[in-house]
Amino acid sequence: MLELRDVHKTYPGEPPVESVRGVDLVVEKGDMLALRGSSGSGKSTLLHIMAALDRPTSGSVQIDGQYVEKLSDRELAGLRAFHVGVVFQQFFLLEALTALDNVASGLLYRGVPTKQRREAAAEALHRVGLSHRLNHKVTKMSGGERQRTAVARALVGRPAIVFADEPTGNLDSARGEEILNLFRELNEDGTTLVIVTHEERVALACKQRIEVSDGLVVSRSEQAASP
Ligand code: ADP
Ligand code: MG
């Protein structure tokens, strides 16, 4: 599903920042992987590379059978639009739009006609428990509802893999628990998930846990997800 081989990412500067310094990683179909590490350890950089939002400086990245390093920018945009969904800590929703239009925007780059986009968006919002909020503007929604909407937008195109960067970071613990339960359900239904978190309980809910420190994987553990 996803395979990283000796991936490096260096940001130019004086001095250059080596954010990721040789990471090997495999995510199998149906996996639910937690990526942990302290602030500045390279988690977001790694997640951006895994989600094809950014290219590595060197190394190989294979996403759903396609090698990122062999793709043009245009092909990479296609890979993102059809195979990957991403959820961010800050939600990144369009405030002036309704939940439905935000989620439908997740299909814009696929050239899906408006009517079908809206139908798929309503279905994705139903999946995250927001059928009663379709026409609510983002400004009228709580933090938990906003994050559910962002999850629906990530899911609407039925991507092979969904990434989340600190998805519970801006939520209180009850709302965080709801989002975590939603991710668990999605994983049980077959969605492959990679979640960046520094919350213990989020990591413990995952099937595979990887810890990064200073741009390197320092530990891996795999066990059945706790109840
Ligand atoms: P984390 O998500 O674990 O907090 P990041 O991946 O955001 O870590 O950052 C890892 C390192 O890379 C940090 O030292 C950060 O300052 C640096 N970094 C991240 N993004 C950039 C960028 N666009 N330009 C320069 N340095 C960056
Ligand atoms: Mg980060």
Side-chain angles (χ1 to χ4, degrees):
M1 175 62 58
L2 174 69
E3 190 165 343
L4 272 62
R5 289 281 163 241
D6 198 24
V7 163
H8 292 250
K9 179 73 183 184
T10 304
Y11 291 108
E14 281 303 325
V17 181
E18 290 181 84
S19 290
V20 174
R21 303 188 297 139
V23 165
D24 296 288
L25 205 153
V26 176
V27 182
E28 306 283 3
K29 189 168 166 50
D31 206 351
M32 182 168 176
L33 177 139
L35 208 58
R36 306 183 69 191
S38 56
S39 182
S41 56
K43 303 183 297 297
S44 293
T45 304
L46 207 47
L47 185 119
H48 280 85
I49 291 171
M50 293 166 97
L53 297 171
D54 201 1
R55 291 176 187 273
T57 310
S58 67
S60 171
V61 178
Q62 188 231 108
I63 300 170
D64 208 14
Q66 300 195 57
Y67 286 89
V68 166
E69 61 271 22
K70 293 182 183 155
L71 301 181
S72 66
D73 286 348
R74 193 193 164 91
E75 289 167 334
L76 200 60
L79 175 68
R80 279 196 297 269
F82 285 90
H83 299 263
V84 167
V86 191
V87 178
F88 298 96
Q89 177 175 355
Q90 309 87 336
F91 321 138
F92 292 131
L93 298 169
L94 296 164
E95 296 272 325
L97 299 186
T98 61
L100 191 77
D101 287 333
N102 265 282
V103 175
S105 77
L107 290 171
L108 267 183
Y109 297 101
R110 290 199 186 190
V112 179
T114 311
K115 184 161 176 286
Q116 278 157 261
R117 278 212 307 273
R118 293 173 68 88
E119 281 167 7
E123 194 187 319
L125 282 160
H126 177 69
R127 259 184 114 185
V128 302
L130 285 182
S131 289
H132 59 305
R133 290 283 184 267
L134 301 187
N135 296 311
H136 257 58
K137 290 244 171 72
V138 170
T139 45
K140 298 266 166 63
M141 296 199 292
S142 68
E145 289 174 338
R146 287 173 194 221
Q147 194 56 303
R148 282 173 182 273
T149 303
V151 172
R153 183 181 53 189
L155 291 172
V156 68
R158 304 195 168 274
I161 182 161
V162 172
F163 298 89
D165 196 350
E166 303 278 7
T168 58
N170 278 347
L171 303 177
D172 63 47
S173 60
R175 252 34 70 191
E177 193 66 35
E178 286 174 16
I179 291 291
L180 186 55
N181 286 335
L182 173 60
F183 280 134
R184 278 207 192 98
E185 283 170 32
L186 294 172
N187 181 247
E188 276 161 19
D189 291 347
T191 306
T192 307
L193 286 167
V194 174
I195 304 174
V196 164
T197 186
H198 52 245
E199 285 185 61
E200 178 84 17
R201 69 198 169 100
V202 177
L204 286 175
C206 292
K207 294 171 177 167
Q208 199 189 155
R209 289 178 277 284
I210 285 186
E211 189 172 346
V212 292
S213 175
D214 205 11
L216 291 169
V217 172
V218 291
S219 77
R220 297 171 199 260
S221 58
E222 203 165 336
Q223 58 199 74
S226 61

